Amino acid sequence: MLTRQGVHERMYACTFDRVIIRFRAVIHEEGVVVIASRKEVAERAGVSEATVSRVLNNVGPLKEQTKERVLAAARELGYTPSSLARSFARRRSGNLGVIMPFLPKARLFSAYYFSEILSGIGSMAREEGYDLLMIFRDADEPLDYSELFRMRKVDACIVLGAKEEPGELEALRMLKREGHPFCLINQHFEGEGFHEVDADHIEGSRQAVQHLLDQGFRRIAFLNGPPAYSNSRDRLDGYTQALADAGLQLDPTLLYEGNFSRRSGAAAAKAIAGQLNRIEAVAVANDRMAIGLQQGLRELGLVADNMPAIIGYDDSDAAELAQPALSSVRVPFFRIGEIAAAKVLELQERNDSEPADAVIAVKLPTELVVRASSVKH
């Protein structure tokens, strides 16, 4: 029906998975006036904007009840054909990519760190109707993460195990320049403005060392991971901060480096055993190295009463089973994975016409868990 202002209403019909919905749009002579937004539909249906988009695009597995709620909300609000046309125009793979390092002979999926983070990512991806596509990168080959988007293999991606080296950094910069939705977990690149989800490793490490200081230990060694990982640098900062707060100077001869594997912890045991006249306690950057250190010291003939106090990091399932049970810093890896997946999927649903979101910089708290390994005899 036309009005004096030259405005009239029309009814539109769109078909989604054998369900027909009619949408009402108010049409000016100049074009379409948007009555409802995807956000309003999401709020009405009680779901995320990403879920609304997937229902309207028919992407990924979705519960029938969820589809019905979204379609009903869209009908009630008069979600306009112009918005729907934009959704249909976007070609989607339905995949959330997870880029991981390829480590020969390493059982990544049995590692607590990777298994917990992947479980969190997978849980959120499933809830949002996405499949996971695992991509293993080879450190010896050129990195081109952007190709995954150009080939439409993924709609968004999460990068695990990134480290600070030229090839990796340039590949991530390319993703950012081309505007692809991606997020890093457990890695920070200073000044780059990448989206990141992590834990507060400086504070976690500081608390671990403070616990050892509270036990009366003063000669505390530190077994860290490679410095190419920002979490290694963060844990070293926390270690240094705790010593400084106690009025102690950093002693470089008490710093050791492994590669986060149990084997590297066992290798460090030989060096540490040779300085037990100086070393009273050892803070270790992850549980696998800490357990390797315990095993290595036992193999060298040390009994529990002669071992230095040891505290790990991660609070993996194995920490409670270690002999003695390993004190550790609990990191919410599952939650980190969930948040990273949710945030990166929100990024990829943003319209090109919408302003860029602020940089994602989530940092979750850690928790100290004290067990027998760090208690003074």
Side-chain angles (χ1 to χ4, degrees):
M1 180 178 64
L2 288 172
T3 69
R4 285 178 303 175
Q5 290 79 20
V7 179
H8 58 281
E9 292 186 355
R10 290 179 184 169
M11 297 297 292
Y12 294 86
C14 297
T15 302
F16 300 101
D17 196 20
R18 299 185 301 280
V19 179
I20 297 177
I21 304 178
R22 287 180 170 79
F23 296 89
R24 179 167 19 186
V26 178
I27 309 295
H28 283 280
E29 292 175 340
E30 304 83 34
V32 178
V33 175
V34 178
I35 292 178
S37 68
R38 186 179 59 206
K39 182 178 181 180
E40 291 171 313
V41 174
E43 290 174 350
R44 175 69 66 92
V47 299
S48 68
E49 290 183 57
T51 298
V52 171
S53 180
R54 277 187 288 286
V55 170
L56 299 181
N57 286 309
N58 197 27
V59 172
L62 290 161
K63 293 181 180 178
E64 199 60 38
Q65 290 179 337
T66 301
K67 286 184 180 180
E68 291 173 2
R69 285 208 315 274
V70 170
L71 295 174
R75 180 178 62 245
E76 293 165 7
L77 291 171
Y79 191 40
T80 68
S82 58
S83 297
L84 294 174
R86 282 199 304 270
S87 293
F88 280 124
R90 294 174 184 165
R91 294 173 59 192
R92 298 293 193 201
S93 69
N95 292 329
L96 171 59
V98 181
I99 300 171
M100 300 175 63
F102 175 69
L103 303 174
K105 300 182 180 179
R107 298 179 177 87
L108 289 185
F109 295 105
S110 66
Y112 182 80
Y113 168 81
F114 286 107
S115 65
E116 284 293 294
I117 289 178
L118 288 172
S119 294
I121 294 172
S123 174
M124 182 56 64
R126 183 179 183 278
E127 182 178 323
E128 296 293 343
Y130 273 80
D131 295 323
L132 290 189
L133 179 63
M134 308 296 299
I135 303 109
F136 289 91
R137 67 175 188 274
D138 193 328
D140 297 328
E141 295 179 2
L143 302 171
D144 187 359
Y145 299 154
S146 295
E147 185 68 14
L148 297 169
F149 290 90
R150 297 189 200 106
M151 296 177 67
R152 299 190 184 279
K153 288 186 176 181
V154 300
D155 300 328
C157 76
I158 296 171
V159 183
L160 291 178
K163 55 185 177 180
E164 200 153 317
E165 53 186 28
E168 179 96 27
L169 186 53
E170 184 51 39
L172 295 172
R173 284 172 174 165
M174 178 68 75
L175 280 178
K176 184 180 177 182
R177 282 196 298 269
E178 295 184 358
H180 299 302
F182 74 100
C183 181
L184 304 179
I185 284 182
N186 212 36
Q187 179 70 14
H188 173 68
F189 290 88
E190 189 67 36
E192 295 294 338
F194 298 146
H195 300 298
E196 302 166 357
V197 180
D198 204 349
D200 190 347
H201 299 301
I202 294 178
E203 177 60 17
S205 182
R206 190 202 65 78
Q207 288 180 350
V209 178
Q210 184 60 56
H211 164 67
L212 295 173
L213 291 166
D214 291 343
Q215 297 289 307
F217 301 117
R218 290 295 178 268
R219 297 188 297 278
I220 302 171
F222 184 52
L223 174 56
N224 202 7
Y229 298 105
S230 65
N231 58 87
S232 294
R233 301 193 297 272
D234 288 347
R235 287 166 184 158
L236 178 59
D237 287 346
Y239 167 81
T240 304
Q241 187 179 114
L243 294 181
D245 291 345
L248 299 175
Q249 293 290 325
L250 176 67
D251 183 352
T253 66
L254 296 181
L255 300 180
Y256 300 87
E257 183 180 318
N259 62 5
F260 293 127
S261 69
R262 183 187 59 80
R263 185 169 296 180
S264 68
K270 296 178 181 178
I272 290 172
Q275 295 200 67
L276 287 182
N277 59 326
R278 300 177 60 231
I279 295 174
E280 299 174 301
V282 187
V284 188
N286 78 335
D287 287 351
R288 297 181 82 185
M289 288 196 298
I291 291 170
L293 174 61
Q294 287 180 321
Q295 293 174 335
L297 292 174
R298 279 198 300 272
E299 290 172 2
L300 292 171
L302 272 72
V303 297
D305 288 344
N306 294 331
M307 279 196 186
I310 297 174
I311 186 166
Y313 203 102
D314 292 346
D315 193 36
S316 61
D317 294 337
E320 290 185 87
L321 304 177
Q323 292 296 325
L326 183 66
S327 295
S328 190
V329 176
R330 180 172 295 161
V331 181
F333 290 126
F334 184 91
R335 185 64 182 141
I336 287 173
E338 274 191 321
I339 292 175
K343 293 292 186 182
V344 80
L345 289 175
E346 287 176 10
L347 284 176
Q348 67 91 29
E349 290 295 340
R350 190 181 67 223
N351 292 334
D352 294 337
S353 59
E354 295 175 359
D357 293 342
V359 173
I360 297 169
V362 178
K363 190 167 287 190
L364 300 182
T366 58
E367 178 188 353
L368 177 66
V369 181
V370 177
R371 301 188 179 95
S373 70
S374 64
V375 177
K376 197 167 188 177
H377 303 309

